[in-house]
Amino acid sequence: MRENKEVEIGYWFGVDYHGKGLASKALACVLKCLDGHMGHDVFLAYAEAMESNKASLRVLEKNGFRITGKKGRRQNRIRLEYSL
């Protein structure tokens, strides 16, 4: 039986690049890569976002992440998960 392995997804885009769909597209590419090339080693991808950061939550949920109801490791963050 394989170990349960997780990978954390994180991103940041400067203000000049907000609202252009770049984060959504970049995240979709990363997830496709993980699923296609590392899916046998990684079972769960997770991310953390501030609950007040609606744009980032939208990017994550649009790409299949689900809010877990758990607090993130970082202060004032919630945890979202995506199963590979």
Side-chain angles (χ1 to χ4, degrees):
M1 180 171 235
R2 294 187 237 179
E3 290 180 41
N4 184 17
K5 295 185 181 177
E6 298 180 342
V7 62
E8 182 177 9
I9 303 289
Y11 52 86
W12 179 87
F13 285 84
V15 175
D16 291 345
Y17 300 98
H18 288 188
K20 298 181 184 209
L22 297 174
S24 292
K25 290 177 186 176
L27 181 56
C29 288
V30 168
L31 291 171
K32 185 176 180 180
C33 181
L34 282 174
D35 193 31
H37 298 291
M38 297 178 68
H40 60 284
D41 290 327
V42 177
F43 293 96
L44 181 74
Y46 74 94
E48 296 181 0
M50 296 179 82
E51 199 166 2
S52 62
N53 189 343
K54 301 300 183 194
S56 192
L57 291 173
R58 217 172 19 254
V59 165
L60 291 162
E61 289 180 311
K62 183 177 176 180
N63 278 282
F65 280 79
R66 298 289 172 245
I67 295 172
T68 64
K70 301 175 191 173
K71 289 185 177 185
R73 293 182 310 166
R74 293 168 188 83
Q75 187 176 6
N76 300 319
R77 305 262 190 317
I78 59 173
R79 182 178 169 114
L80 296 91
E81 294 178 347
Y82 175 92
S83 295
L84 296 171

